[in-house]
Amino acid sequence: MTAIKHALQRDIFTPNDERLLSIVNVCKAGKKKKNCFLCATVTTERPVQVKVVKVKKSDKGDFYKRQTAWELRELAVVDAKDANKENPEFDLHFEKVYKWVASSTAEKNSFISYIWKLNQRYLRKKIDFVNVSSQLLEESVPSGENQSVAGGDEETLDDYQELNTREEQDIEIMMEGCEYAISNAEAFAEKLSSELQVLDGANIQSIMASEKQVNILMQLLDEALNEVDTIEGKLSSYEEMLQSVKEQMDQISQSNHLIQLSNTNNVRLLDEIEFLVNHMDLSKGHIKALQDGDLSSSKGIEACTDAAEALLQCMNIALRPGHDKLHAVKQQQHLFNDLREQFARRLTNHLNNVFVHQGHDQSATLAQHSVELSLPKHNPLHRDLLRYAKLMEWLKNTQCEKYEGLTGNYVDYIARLYEREIKDFFEVAKIKMTGTTKEGKKFGLHGSSGKLTGSTSSLNKLPIQGGGSRRSQSSSLLDMGNMSASDLDVADRTKFDKIFEQVLSELEPLCLAEQDFISKFFKLQQQPSMLGSTAVDGEEVDGAGPSRHVSVGGERPQSATSEKEMVRLMMNKIFHCIEVELNNLIALGDKIDSFNSLYMLVKMSHHVWTAENVDPASYLSTTLGNVLVTVKRNFDKCISNQIKQMEEVKISKKSKVGILPFVTGIEQFAELAETIFRNAERRGDLDKAYVKLIRAVYFNVEKVANESQKTPRDVVMMENFHHIFSTLSRLKISCLETERKEAKYKYTDHLQSYVIYSLGQPLEKLNHFFEGVEARVAQGVREEEVSYQLAFNKQELRKVIKEYPGKEVKKGLDNLYKKVDKHLCEEENLLQVVWHSMQDEFIRQYKHFVGLIGRCYPGSGITMDFTIQDILEYFSSIAQSH
C-alpha cells in the first residue's frame, strides 16, 4: 500500500500541487469488484483545498488515472454502518449517496479517522459522522499518549515542506563524505543512526546540565498558566456582560423595528388622506358657483366653468382599492352627484331661456331686412352663446340626456327663426327678379308685400306675354335669331345674374357660420378637453374612451364620422327650407327666361366648387350639390327645347330662305354662353350642349334646304353654312373645331355646285356640243378624227360658235347675275363671292373649250368670238353696273 501511495503521489497529485494524506482501496457495494482508490488530499498552496479523489487503475497498463474529485465541504455525512462490529462497508453522502466496501476494516477506519481530522481542522465540524466508534474518534484527538502521534500528524499536515536548495547541498556534501552512501544504503543508514544516537546523548547531557534553567522555565510556565486562568476568568465575566448587552440590543432592535413599521403605516395613511383631500375636496367658492353662480355675466360664466371642471375632475378621480368603502368618500360622492344634477338643471333652464329670448330679439330686426336683399346676421347670438361652449362640453360629458334635450330645443327655436328669415329673403329676391309688384302679378306674385303664393307647379302656368314690356317666359334660338342685339334684354339677364349671385352669396356665409357655431358650441367634430370617467345614472362612463353624443334622430354616435353626421342632421333640420326655396327661385328664373339656366349653372357650379373646397361633407356643399342637379336638369331641358323648336321651323314658300333664324340664334347663343361661361368650372356641360345644338342646326339646315321651293338647295346650304363657319371661326370654340371644318367643307362644296349648275345655262348649246365631242372621244374616236363626224364637223362647230358672240355672252352673264342676286340674301353678302367663283369657273370652261378645239380641230383656224380678257371685262362691268 505504501508503494501505491508513493506512486499516486508522484504520478497524479504532485503535478497538481496536491499532497496525499490517506488512501483506502474500495469497490462499489453490490457490484462486481472493480477496485479503485479513495484518496484524501490537500493542496500545497493557500488557501488550502481539501478533496476526496477517486483514482482508478487503467485497464491497459499499470498507470493510474484520476476519475472523480469531490470537495470535502460537499461531504455531508460519513456513515460507517456499524460502530461495534468490524464492517468494511461505509457510505459517503455527497450530492448523492455513494456506497463503498473497503478492502479491510483497518483501512476504512484509518481513512475515516483522517476525514475526521480534516473536518476538525478545515471545516469546523460540519460533517456528521454516523455509526463511527467514539474510541476511533478519541484516538484521533491530539492529547495524552498519542500527543506525539497526533502532533506528528498535525506537523505532517501543517509543516511538511520540500527540501530547499541549501538542504539539498548539505545532503549532497554528507553523501560525498561517505563513499558507500549510494552503494551500501544500509551501512549509510546505520552510520547516520549511530551519529544520531550520539547527538541525542549529547542533547540529553546538555539538558541534564541545564536542570536549573529547566526548573526556572517550569516555574515561569506555572505562572503563565495561573495568568492564563486569571485571563480566562475575566474573559468569562466579559462574555456574560456581552451576553446581557446582546439581549438588550436585541430588545432595542425589535423595538426599533416596531417603531419603523408604525412610521411607515403613518406615512402611508397620510399619503392616502392627502390623496383624498387633494383630489376629492371641492372648494366653497366652487360649490357656491355651482349652486348660485350668475350665468348671465362673463365673470359668472367663467367662475361656473372653473367650478364645473373642478367638479368633473373630482368625480373622475380613479379611487384606489378600498377607498369606495370609506364613509367620507361616499358622502363626497353623494355631494358631487347632487351638485352635478343641480348645476346641470340650472344650466339647461338658463340656456333654454337664452334661446327663446335671442330668437325674439332676432325677429325684431327682420323688418329692416325685408326691403333689402340681405339676410340678418347671427354673429351676436353666436358670440353670446359661445361663452357657454365649455359648459356645453361639460354637460355633454356628464348629463347626456339634458345635453340631448338642449340640442333639440336649440334646433327647434333656431329653425323657426331661420325659416321666417329665409322665406322673407327669397320673397324679396323674387320681387326683384320680376320687377315691380304690379309686374310680379304676371308671374303669380300678389299682395302688398309681393309674397309668392304659388309653388313650382303654379309657375308652369305662367302666361306667355305677347308684345308687352317684358319678353315671353321662355327664350329660344328662334327668338334670338329674330331680334337684334338691342332687342335682347341684356339688362334683365344681367340683373337676374346679380340677384342670383347675391342670393347665393348671402346663403353661403350664413350656413357656414351656423355650421361652425354648432360644431364649436355643441363640441362636435372636436377632441374633448375634459376627459375622465363619471357616473351617469348609476353607470360608469369612461371619459377617456368614446364619448356618448347626441343626434337629432336619437342616435348616439361613437366616432368623429358620427359627429359629422350629427352636424349634418342638425343643419338639415335648421335649414330645411333652403333647398325648397332655391328650387322655387330657380323655377321662377327659368320661367322668366330659359337662358337664365346658363347663369344659374355657372353661379351654382362655382359656389358648389367653393363649398367642396372648404368642406366636402358640409351641409352647404350637399345642399348646393342637390340644387345644382336641378339647375343642370333645367339647362339640359333648355337645350332640348331649342333643338325641338329647330325641328318645328316652317319656311315661307313665297320668299327666299336666306339665313335661317336658328342659325342666327346659335350665333347669339354662343356669344352669350361664351360670355357667361368664361373661366367657369363646368365648361364641359356647355361643350356637350354646343355639340348637340350644332348637330341639330346642321341637320335642320339640310332639312329646310331640301324643302325649299323658292331658293335653290345649294344656296340655302351655302349661305347658312358660310354663316356658321364665320361664327365658329370668330368665336374660336375649341370643342367645335371639327364642326367648323365641316361647315367650311359644306359651304365650299355647295358654292361650287351652285356655280357649276348656274353656268351651264348661258352657253348651253356650246356646252352640249362639246359634251358630245367628249362622248365620241370616250367611245374610242381619236381626237383629230372627231371633225370627220357628221354631227361634229367644222361647219357644225362654226354654227354653234356664231350663236354665242361676245355681245350675247355678256347679255347671258348679265341675266345670270340678276338671277343669282335674286337667290342670295343681302345679310350674308355672298353675291360678289359667288360672282367671282362663277368668273373662275367660266374661264375654266372657256379654256377647256379652247383646248378641245385645238386638239379635235387642228389647223381649222376656228376660234371663239371672245377672249379671256373679254370675259374679265364682261364680269367686271356687270358687277359694277349693279
Side-chain angles (χ1 to χ4, degrees):
M1 182 64 71
T2 304
I4 294 173
K5 185 175 181 182
H6 284 294
L8 293 177
Q9 177 67 50
R10 182 185 66 249
D11 299 337
I12 294 177
F13 298 111
T14 299
N16 293 327
D17 295 330
E18 293 177 313
R19 285 188 288 124
L20 177 60
L21 301 180
S22 179
I23 184 172
V24 58
N25 187 2
V26 296
C27 63
K28 289 187 178 180
K31 293 188 178 181
K32 293 181 181 181
K33 292 187 178 182
K34 292 184 178 180
N35 291 339
C36 58
F37 298 97
L38 292 179
C39 305
T41 66
V42 294
T43 58
T44 59
E45 295 181 357
R46 293 184 182 276
V48 177
Q49 295 182 4
V50 186
K51 297 181 181 179
V52 176
V53 182
K54 177 182 176 183
V55 178
K56 185 177 180 182
K57 189 173 184 179
S58 175
D59 296 334
K60 298 180 181 180
D62 295 335
F63 63 91
Y64 297 91
K65 62 180 180 180
R66 185 176 186 139
Q67 190 171 16
T68 309
W70 299 274
E71 294 284 345
L72 188 62
R73 65 173 175 272
E74 297 176 1
L75 181 60
V77 179
V78 176
D79 187 1
K81 296 296 185 181
D82 196 337
N84 300 320
K85 296 181 181 180
E86 291 187 357
N87 186 357
E89 296 181 1
F90 66 97
D91 296 343
L92 299 180
H93 294 240
F94 289 102
E95 74 278 2
K96 66 178 182 178
V97 179
Y98 293 92
K99 298 180 181 294
W100 306 102
V101 179
S103 60
S104 66
T105 305
E107 287 186 14
K108 180 189 85 170
N109 292 338
S110 176
F111 184 74
I112 291 175
S113 176
Y114 261 97
I115 294 297
W116 187 85
K117 292 177 183 179
L118 294 173
N119 176 49
Q120 294 292 319
R121 181 166 182 80
Y122 295 106
L123 300 183
R124 309 284 181 176
K125 304 179 182 180
K126 290 184 179 179
I127 301 176
D128 293 333
F129 289 84
V130 182
N131 298 321
V132 179
S133 172
S134 58
Q135 182 179 1
L136 177 63
L137 299 179
E138 289 176 359
E139 291 177 353
S140 301
V141 175
S143 62
E145 299 174 349
N146 47 15
Q147 176 73 32
S148 60
V149 177
D153 291 338
E154 292 299 323
E155 186 178 354
T156 304
L157 292 174
D158 295 339
D159 300 333
Y160 173 79
Q161 292 182 356
E162 294 183 1
L163 296 176
N164 55 32
T165 305
R166 183 175 179 181
E167 291 173 341
E168 289 179 357
Q169 292 175 356
D170 291 342
I171 291 174
E172 288 177 359
I173 293 170
M174 184 172 58
M175 292 177 69
E176 288 176 357
C178 184
E179 297 178 354
Y180 53 85
I182 297 175
S183 60
N184 192 350
E186 292 181 357
F188 182 64
E190 289 179 357
K191 180 182 179 182
L192 292 177
S193 178
S194 62
E195 290 179 357
L196 180 60
Q197 289 176 359
V198 172
L199 291 174
D200 287 339
N203 287 335
I204 292 172
Q205 290 178 0
S206 176
I207 290 172
M208 291 177 67
S210 58
E211 181 178 358
K212 183 179 181 179
Q213 286 79 3
V214 170
N215 290 331
I216 295 171
L217 178 62
M218 292 300 293
Q219 185 179 357
L220 292 173
L221 288 174
D222 290 338
E223 292 176 358
L225 289 173
N226 293 332
E227 189 67 27
V228 168
D229 291 337
T230 304
I231 293 173
E232 285 182 352
K234 290 182 179 181
L235 289 176
S236 297
S237 64
Y238 291 159
E239 185 177 359
E240 291 176 358
M241 294 172 64
L242 289 176
Q243 185 65 30
S244 174
V245 172
K246 179 178 179 299
E247 293 175 357
Q248 293 177 5
M249 291 302 296
D250 290 340
Q251 293 178 357
I252 293 172
S253 176
Q254 186 176 3
S255 176
N256 287 338
H257 175 71
L258 294 176
I259 293 172
Q260 185 178 3
L261 183 62
S262 176
N263 289 338
T264 302
N265 291 336
N266 290 335
V267 169
R268 290 184 178 178
L269 179 60
L270 180 61
D271 179 63
E272 297 293 333
I273 294 174
E274 287 179 348
F275 174 80
L276 293 175
V277 170
N278 292 336
H279 294 90
M280 295 195 67
D281 184 28
L282 196 63
S283 67
K284 293 181 179 179
H286 286 162
I287 294 175
K288 184 176 181 182
L290 292 173
Q291 292 176 340
D292 304 317
D294 184 10
L295 290 172
S296 301
S297 64
S298 299
K299 187 175 182 181
I301 294 172
E302 185 177 356
C304 290
T305 302
D306 294 339
E309 290 180 351
L311 175 62
L312 185 60
Q313 290 177 0
C314 291
M315 298 185 72
N316 288 344
I317 187 65
L319 296 177
R320 297 172 182 173
H323 284 177
D324 54 346
K325 297 180 181 179
L326 297 176
H327 181 66
V329 173
K330 292 181 179 178
Q331 285 183 337
Q332 282 296 96
Q333 289 178 336
H334 183 69
L335 172 63
F336 294 157
N337 288 332
D338 290 344
L339 288 173
R340 181 192 63 194
E341 293 291 338
Q342 182 180 357
F343 181 68
R345 188 162 49 251
R346 285 183 60 232
L347 177 63
T348 304
N349 294 336
H350 178 77
L351 289 178
N352 280 327
N353 293 333
V354 172
F355 296 159
V356 174
H357 291 315
Q358 290 288 355
H360 290 317
D361 295 342
Q362 194 75 9
S363 299
T365 63
L366 288 178
Q368 62 184 1
H369 292 277
S370 60
V371 294
E372 299 177 3
L373 191 57
S374 62
L375 283 166
K377 305 301 180 185
H378 288 237
N379 293 337
L381 169 63
H382 293 166
R383 186 169 54 253
D384 291 342
L385 289 178
L386 281 177
R387 297 182 301 169
Y388 302 94
K390 289 186 178 180
L391 292 177
M392 282 299 297
E393 183 180 11
W394 176 86
L395 192 65
K396 178 182 179 181
N397 291 330
T398 58
Q399 295 285 328
C400 284
E401 293 181 359
K402 288 183 173 58
Y403 174 83
E404 291 176 7
L406 201 58
T407 303
N409 290 340
Y410 174 79
V411 171
D412 292 339
Y413 286 128
I414 206 68
R416 290 196 293 268
L417 176 61
Y418 274 122
E419 185 176 8
R420 293 195 302 269
E421 294 177 353
I422 291 171
K423 285 187 176 180
D424 291 344
F425 173 72
F426 274 94
E427 286 169 3
V428 174
K430 292 170 185 175
I431 292 173
K432 288 182 176 294
M433 283 183 180
T434 56
T436 62
T437 305
K438 181 177 180 180
E439 289 176 338
K441 291 180 180 180
K442 300 176 184 178
F443 296 92
L445 293 171
H446 64 84
S448 59
S449 62
K451 292 185 178 180
L452 267 178
T453 59
S455 63
T456 305
S457 59
S458 67
L459 290 172
N460 294 328
K461 302 176 183 179
L462 293 177
I464 300 176
Q465 304 300 319
S469 60
R470 298 188 62 85
R471 294 192 326 277
S472 65
Q473 71 203 19
S474 176
S475 297
S476 68
L477 295 179
L478 299 181
D479 298 331
M480 297 182 76
N482 292 329
M483 290 185 292
S484 64
S486 60
D487 292 330
L488 290 175
D489 201 347
V490 178
D492 281 352
R493 287 176 180 163
T494 304
K495 176 183 175 183
F496 175 84
D497 182 36
K498 290 181 178 179
I499 293 173
F500 192 74
E501 170 64 22
Q502 189 173 357
V503 168
L504 296 179
S505 298
E506 288 288 326
L507 289 176
E508 184 173 344
L510 182 73
C511 294
L512 291 177
E514 184 63 30
Q515 180 168 331
D516 182 62
F517 167 74
I518 288 175
S519 298
K520 292 179 179 178
F521 183 68
F522 292 101
K523 294 299 177 182
L524 301 175
Q525 303 176 20
Q526 295 181 6
Q527 295 295 331
S529 60
M530 293 187 291
L531 302 176
S533 61
T534 181
V536 180
D537 298 331
E539 295 181 357
E540 221 175 64
V541 180
D542 188 0
S547 302
R548 296 196 302 169
H549 297 157
V550 186
S551 68
V552 176
E555 301 174 336
R556 292 185 177 181
Q558 299 295 328
S559 63
T561 303
S562 300
E563 290 184 345
K564 289 184 178 181
E565 180 67 15
M566 179 181 173
V567 173
R568 191 183 63 81
L569 292 175
M570 292 176 67
M571 291 291 291
N572 281 338
K573 190 170 183 181
I574 292 173
F575 294 108
H576 64 278
C577 62
I578 283 185
E579 187 170 345
V580 177
E581 292 295 335
L582 273 175
N583 286 331
N584 289 340
L585 186 68
I586 290 167
L588 176 62
D590 192 54
K591 291 298 178 183
I592 293 174
D593 185 349
S594 62
F595 285 157
N596 283 336
S597 61
L598 277 70
Y599 291 98
M600 291 188 287
L601 180 62
V602 172
K603 296 300 182 183
M604 189 62 69
S605 299
H606 175 71
H607 283 271
V608 169
W609 179 80
T610 304
E612 287 181 347
N613 284 341
V614 175
D615 183 5
S618 67
Y619 165 79
L620 181 66
S621 175
T622 305
T623 302
L624 294 184
N626 295 337
V627 176
L628 179 60
V629 173
T630 303
V631 174
K632 177 61 168 59
R633 192 178 294 118
N634 289 346
F635 175 75
D636 294 338
K637 183 179 178 182
C638 173
I639 300 301
S640 300
N641 289 338
Q642 308 312 318
I643 295 174
K644 184 178 180 181
Q645 290 173 10
M646 291 183 204
E647 296 171 352
E648 295 174 354
V649 167
K650 301 295 181 181
I651 61 172
S652 174
K653 297 181 180 180
K654 296 182 180 180
S655 60
K656 57 184 177 182
V657 176
I659 303 301
L660 294 171
F662 56 79
V663 173
T664 307
I666 192 67
E667 178 184 7
Q668 302 293 337
F669 175 83
E671 291 176 349
L672 176 63
E674 287 300 309
T675 302
I676 297 173
F677 277 80
R678 186 178 293 112
N679 300 324
E681 286 81 7
R682 295 182 69 94
R683 175 74 193 193
D685 294 331
L686 178 63
D687 292 344
K688 293 177 182 177
Y690 273 150
V691 174
K692 289 182 181 179
L693 285 174
I694 205 69
R695 283 296 164 193
V697 168
Y698 285 6
F699 175 79
N700 286 285
V701 166
E702 293 188 9
K703 176 184 174 183
V704 171
N706 292 333
E707 295 175 355
S708 174
Q709 297 179 1
K710 182 72 174 177
T711 306
R713 178 179 182 276
D714 287 331
V715 172
V716 176
M717 296 288 287
M718 174 185 65
E719 288 183 325
N720 283 280
F721 278 106
H722 177 266
H723 191 87
I724 294 171
F725 170 70
S726 300
T727 300
L728 296 181
S729 298
R730 176 170 54 85
L731 296 178
K732 297 179 180 179
I733 301 173
S734 58
C735 67
L736 297 179
E737 183 62 24
T738 302
E739 285 73 14
R740 186 186 71 84
K741 294 178 180 178
E742 183 180 352
K744 181 180 180 181
Y745 171 77
K746 289 181 178 291
Y747 152 68
T748 306
D749 183 60
H750 287 286
L751 171 61
Q752 192 67 24
S753 177
Y754 176 67
V755 168
I756 293 173
Y757 171 76
S758 300
L759 280 178
Q761 295 177 0
L763 305 176
E764 184 176 0
K765 293 181 179 180
L766 189 60
N767 195 26
H768 288 326
F769 180 84
F770 282 111
E771 285 178 356
V773 171
E774 291 177 340
R776 291 293 186 276
V777 172
Q779 291 173 0
V781 178
R782 297 175 62 183
E783 290 182 343
E784 58 270 15
E785 295 178 358
V786 171
S787 60
Y788 299 109
Q789 298 288 325
L790 183 60
F792 302 101
N793 56 25
K794 297 177 182 179
Q795 288 77 11
E796 291 296 326
L797 176 60
R798 288 190 181 97
K799 188 186 297 185
V800 173
I801 289 175
K802 281 186 179 181
E803 293 184 9
Y804 294 102
K807 187 176 180 180
E808 290 297 326
V809 170
K810 183 177 180 181
K811 182 178 179 181
L813 290 174
D814 188 65
N815 293 332
L816 177 62
Y817 185 89
K818 293 177 181 178
K819 190 173 185 179
V820 170
D821 189 24
K822 291 180 180 179
H823 288 165
L824 300 178
C825 63
E826 294 180 359
E827 59 263 23
E828 198 58 25
N829 197 23
L830 285 178
L831 179 58
Q832 295 302 321
V833 176
V834 174
W835 188 242
H836 188 271
S837 297
M838 286 186 170
Q839 173 183 292
D840 294 340
E841 180 62 24
F842 193 91
I843 292 174
R844 188 192 65 78
Q845 290 186 13
Y846 176 83
K847 291 180 179 179
H848 179 63
F849 295 156
V850 171
L852 286 176
I853 293 173
R855 292 194 303 275
C856 298
Y857 303 94
S860 64
I862 300 174
T863 59
M864 302 287 284
D865 286 349
F866 51 90
T867 62
I868 292 178
Q869 186 62 34
D870 295 333
I871 294 172
L872 293 174
E873 291 179 359
Y874 297 158
F875 274 93
S876 177
S877 61
I878 291 172
Q880 292 177 0
S881 64
H882 292 281

